[in-house]
Amino acid sequence: MPDETILVVDDSFEFARTVINYMLIPLGYRTLHAADGKKGLQMAIEYGPDLILLDMNMPRMSGLETLTALRDADCKVPVIFMTMHGSEIIAVNAFRLGVRDYLNKPFSAAELQKVIDAALQESRLTREKEELARNLLMAETIRHTVVTLSHYINNNLMTLTGGLELLASMLAPDNTTGQQIIEDSQRSTKRIGAVLRVLQRITRAELATYHGQVKMIDIEQALRDELAADES
């Protein structure tokens, strides 16, 4: 479902309620309603909706006057006109001001969805690109963090492994308790080494996306495979 807000600007409460309750909300849109162009201008600037459905024929401020005021206020929200009394001249002026489409009343939910999708296509693509960029930045940050931490852990692990080998050579063969402690510690260092190798492989892996979703690596399975290889 879309996570977008649509402002309906129409002086007919009944019509606006029909569009909101029976067309927009069932499609998953958040909605706002303004009963005239002046209020619509104020709400558009205050709330920054993703799209405006704007009635062309309203008292106080017509749709075209409202659209002009929106552009003068540097409000670049996509606008779709709704009217029962359109004309080619008005439509040309509206498109010059950046209106995205034009709906003749009455219209169906399918017709409305079609023009909404067309109007929001560019902003949706922009949001998807921004989200992907954030995800890639986060993944790269995690990658560098893992590489740095692995480096420090591995250095200390090598020191620990060498120390255990030295202790094992110094213990008397009949010191079974000490030998057992050494063996348990060596197994633990091998497991830590396996974790580091899995992490290092992951940091070298290329990121891949499928249908907009990042493919996840099964860390648990990779670690089980690595430990099984150590024990074989």
Side-chain angles (χ1 to χ4, degrees):
M1 277 189 160
D3 184 25
E4 294 157 325
T5 300
I6 296 179
L7 169 62
V8 179
V9 184
D10 198 297
D11 60 313
S12 171
F13 177 78
E14 291 78 11
F15 175 80
R17 182 176 60 184
T18 298
V19 171
I20 290 172
N21 290 343
Y22 300 109
M23 295 184 182
L24 296 178
I25 291 178
L27 291 171
Y29 294 103
R30 295 188 297 266
T31 60
L32 298 167
H33 174 232
D36 58 61
K38 187 174 182 180
K39 184 64 175 177
L41 174 63
Q42 176 186 337
M43 293 180 70
I45 294 172
E46 181 177 354
Y47 296 107
D50 297 285
L51 179 70
I52 299 173
L53 296 177
L54 181 60
D55 186 32
M56 185 172 286
N57 300 286
M58 294 182 294
R60 299 183 68 185
M61 286 180 72
S62 69
L64 197 56
E65 290 171 335
T66 304
L67 179 61
T68 301
L70 284 168
R71 298 310 181 233
D72 289 344
D74 199 31
C75 179
K76 299 177 182 179
V77 176
V79 173
I80 296 173
F81 263 155
M82 306 178 295
T83 185
M84 295 178 65
H85 309 287
S87 74
E88 290 185 2
I89 294 176
I90 293 176
V92 168
N93 289 333
F95 281 110
R96 284 175 178 170
L97 288 169
V99 71
R100 293 299 178 92
D101 216 324
Y102 194 96
L103 279 169
N104 286 312
K105 296 179 180 179
F107 48 80
S108 67
E111 291 173 321
L112 179 60
Q113 180 68 72
K114 182 178 179 181
V115 296
I116 288 175
D117 285 341
L120 292 178
Q121 182 179 15
E122 182 178 343
S123 60
R124 286 171 177 171
L125 288 174
T126 299
R127 282 198 301 273
E128 288 177 4
K129 289 179 180 178
E130 290 174 349
E131 183 178 358
L132 179 59
R134 285 194 298 270
N135 290 340
L136 290 176
L137 178 60
M138 184 179 296
E140 193 61 24
T141 300
I142 293 172
R143 185 198 300 260
H144 283 296
T145 301
V146 170
V147 168
T148 302
L149 291 177
S150 296
H151 172 73
Y152 285 107
I153 293 172
N154 193 57
N155 285 346
N156 286 280
L157 183 61
M158 290 178 64
T159 300
L160 180 59
T161 301
L164 288 172
E165 290 177 355
L166 180 61
L167 283 173
S169 67
M170 294 170 62
L171 286 175
D174 58 348
N175 190 342
T176 56
T177 300
Q179 291 291 348
Q180 186 62 51
I181 292 173
I182 295 293
E183 290 176 5
D184 291 342
S185 299
Q186 288 175 330
R187 275 194 295 271
S188 294
T189 59
K190 286 183 178 180
R191 289 179 179 272
I192 295 172
V195 172
L196 288 175
R197 289 192 295 275
V198 170
L199 289 175
Q200 288 165 355
R201 285 206 304 273
I202 291 172
T203 59
R204 291 193 296 268
E206 294 294 327
L207 293 175
T209 58
Y210 297 90
H211 302 292
Q213 296 183 346
V214 177
K215 182 181 179 182
M216 302 300 293
I217 298 173
D218 190 342
I219 304 273
E220 292 283 348
Q221 185 59 52
L223 186 54
R224 284 194 294 269
D225 293 344
E226 191 68 36
L227 292 172
D230 278 349
E231 292 172 0
S232 59

